[in-house]
Each structure stands twice: as C-alpha cells, then as structure tokens.
Amino acid sequence: MPLRHLLAALLVVAIWGSNFVVIKFALGELPPLLFAALRFAFAVLPALFFLPRPAVAWRNLAAYGVLIGVGQFGVLYLAMRTQISPGLASLVIQTQVFFTILLAMRVTRERVQGYQWLGLLLAASGIGVIASHTDGSTTVAGLAMVLFAALCWATANMVGKQAGRVNMLAYMVWTSACAVPPLLLLSLVFEGPAAIVSGVQHLSWQGWVAVLWQSWGNTLFGYGIWGWLLARHAAATIVPMALLVPVFGMSAAAWLLGETMPSWKLIAAALVLSGLALNLLWPLRPWRNAVSAAGTS
C-alpha cells in the first residue's frame, strides 16, 4: 500500500474514533434524537443532488436508514448523553462484528468457525468486565443500549449486503434521507417542539461544527475515502485497520475529556480488541501458510 493510502486509512479511523468525543460535546447542547436527525439531514444535503440513487429497492434503503439512523445512532446518542462514557461507547459498539457473524449464521446459514466462537468469548468477557464495573459514568442500562445499537448496526450490515455492489457513498446519502423523517418524528414526540426550537436557536457555532463534522467528516468523507481505499486494495489489507477505531476513541476521550483509564477498562479493551482481532486477522493466516510450506519442503 502506498504511504499516502496508508495515511488516508489512518485518518479515517482517527476521525471515526475521535468522533465519540465530538458526539459527547454536541450532546451538551442538543437533545439526542434531534442531534441524530440533524446529523443525517446534513449528510443528505446537498449531496443528494449530486449522487444518483443506487439501483436498490426503496424498502432496502428505508430499512438500512431506519436501522442506522434510529437503531444505531439514535440509541447510541441517547446512551452517550448520560449512561455511558465516550471511550467505552467507542469500544462496545464494535461488538457489531460478532452480531453480524451470528446474524449471518442465522440468515444465510453461514457456518461459524471455531476461531469466531473464541473471538466472541473473548469479547463477551470484556463486556462482562465492563458490566461488573458500572459507575456514575457508565450504567448497565447504557451498556445495554449500546449493545442494542451494535445489534441494529449488524442488522443494517445484513440489509446492506442484500443491496449488492453499489456506490457506498451514494448508498449512505440515500439511506440517510430515509433516516431523517423517523428521527424528526421521534424527536417531536419524545423531546417536544420546544426542545427542538430551543436546541436549534441556541446551538453555538462549535455545536454546528460538531453536527457538520458528524455529517460531512464522519459520514461523507469517512465512508467515501474508506470505499475508495477498498476499491483499490484487498479488503484484508484495509478492514483490519478498523481495529484502531476504539483505540483512537478511548485515547481521545482520555486526552480531551479526562476520561479515566483504570486497569479494568484496559483489561476490558484488551479482551474486546483481542476478540475483534482474532475474527479479522485469523482468516489471513499467513503463519499457517508458512508452517504448511515448511512442512512440505
């Protein structure tokens, strides 16, 4: 991989990881459901006018948009407002990898390999460590909400897989259009018109930057560059770099928000990341090929 491509991949995972700090900042000024609605609204405009709709059924676009918009980010924002710290949220949300594997086993009858079960056990152990150390910054309810958000993300992965090979940036923009109406409706019902008007009127310029960072930096730029890299390199070269997302997330939370990193958090992170690494890196198995070659020489 050329150095500039490597740096581009690192920039994307750094944006995705540090994004949890940006979310926490914006939640100090906006109700969570309204924040999610604005995030997807600005991801739609003005990109919708420049990217043609992918050749995908509307029901697929709508399902993905609702799952990502309401199920993943709506619930994630609700949890991050008071129920879980940004660093831990960036880690726990990555359990979507294991939910995706389990759903694939259920829906497409894919066979789960032994190393995948081991990876799931390691990650589950890490989640157990977090659950046993809930405090004022992280609650059992918050942990459950982020796990639910991860499940919705995994379900959206299955829906996206049914869309086939499409322009991922265009797909994200058009599915975002399907996420905005239900998020606005939920915000209107549960947060109220007064909270919506007040949130928009009193949003500082830093708050607007946070919203636009979510929309353009995290969604359009991040997914656009990631898709561009995947089109030019083997997935096995690019995808494992996503392991750095929670590393950047937890580091940014500690540096910018003063989130503490006691030993139990580091142990939980090591367990979850080990499980993720096992599932992403084991299929490559270069060491097994080397051993096999040595055995036949």
Side-chain angles (χ1 to χ4, degrees), residues 1-13 225-226 228-234 237-238 241:
M1 186 192 306
L3 178 61
R4 65 181 183 278
H5 291 191
L6 175 62
L7 293 176
L10 288 174
L11 177 60
V12 171
V13 296
I225 295 298
W226 196 255
W228 183 84
L229 289 169
L230 285 172
R232 286 159 177 78
H233 301 281
T237 302
I238 302 299
M241 298 189 71

Side-chain angles (χ1 to χ4, degrees), residues 57-113:
W58 275 107
R59 63 179 178 274
N60 181 281
L61 297 174
Y64 190 94
V66 172
L67 285 166
I68 290 292
V70 179
Q72 181 188 346
F73 285 101
V75 175
L76 176 66
Y77 291 177
L78 284 167
M80 285 186 62
R81 191 174 199 184
T82 58
Q83 300 290 323
I84 192 167
S85 64
L88 286 181
S90 72
L91 177 67
V92 175
I93 195 70
Q94 299 305 321
T95 57
Q96 61 88 14
V97 170
F98 303 102
F99 285 124
T100 301
I101 292 170
L102 294 174
L103 286 172
M105 178 183 67
R106 177 77 176 179
V107 175
T108 64
R109 304 300 180 184
E110 294 180 15
R111 182 172 177 270
V112 179
Q113 304 296 319

Side-chain angles (χ1 to χ4, degrees), residues 2 17 34 37 91 132-133 143 153 184 188 200 229 241 246 271 280 282 293:
L34 174 61
L91 177 67
S132 66
H133 288 85
L143 180 60
W153 185 1
L184 280 176
L188 184 65
V200 173
L229 289 169
M241 298 189 71
L271 288 169
L280 289 175
W282 180 275

Side-chain angles (χ1 to χ4, degrees), residues 108-175:
T108 64
R109 304 300 180 184
E110 294 180 15
R111 182 172 177 270
V112 179
Q113 304 296 319
Y115 73 88
Q116 292 174 317
W117 286 116
L118 178 57
L120 176 60
L121 179 61
L122 286 170
S125 299
I127 299 301
V129 171
I130 296 172
S132 66
H133 288 85
T134 52
D135 53 24
S137 62
T138 299
T139 66
V140 173
L143 180 60
M145 291 169 73
V146 178
L147 287 172
F148 177 78
L151 175 60
C152 289
W153 185 1
T155 308
N157 288 339
M158 302 305 296
V159 173
K161 187 175 181 179
Q162 293 175 352
R165 293 190 173 185
V166 297
N167 181 323
M168 192 60 189
L169 181 58
Y171 188 73
M172 288 303 301
V173 169
W174 282 85
T175 54

Side-chain angles (χ1 to χ4, degrees), residues 156-233:
N157 288 339
M158 302 305 296
V159 173
K161 187 175 181 179
Q162 293 175 352
R165 293 190 173 185
V166 297
N167 181 323
M168 192 60 189
L169 181 58
Y171 188 73
M172 288 303 301
V173 169
W174 282 85
T175 54
S176 293
C178 297
V180 175
L183 283 168
L184 280 176
L185 179 61
L186 288 170
S187 179
L188 184 65
V189 172
F190 292 103
E191 295 168 345
I196 294 175
V197 173
S198 177
V200 173
Q201 285 183 339
H202 297 95
L203 188 61
S204 67
W205 69 267
Q206 296 98 325
W208 283 114
V209 169
V211 171
L212 294 177
W213 182 255
Q214 287 279 291
S215 304
W216 297 344
N218 186 61
T219 302
L220 300 185
F221 177 82
Y223 279 99
I225 295 298
W226 196 255
W228 183 84
L229 289 169
L230 285 172
R232 286 159 177 78
H233 301 281

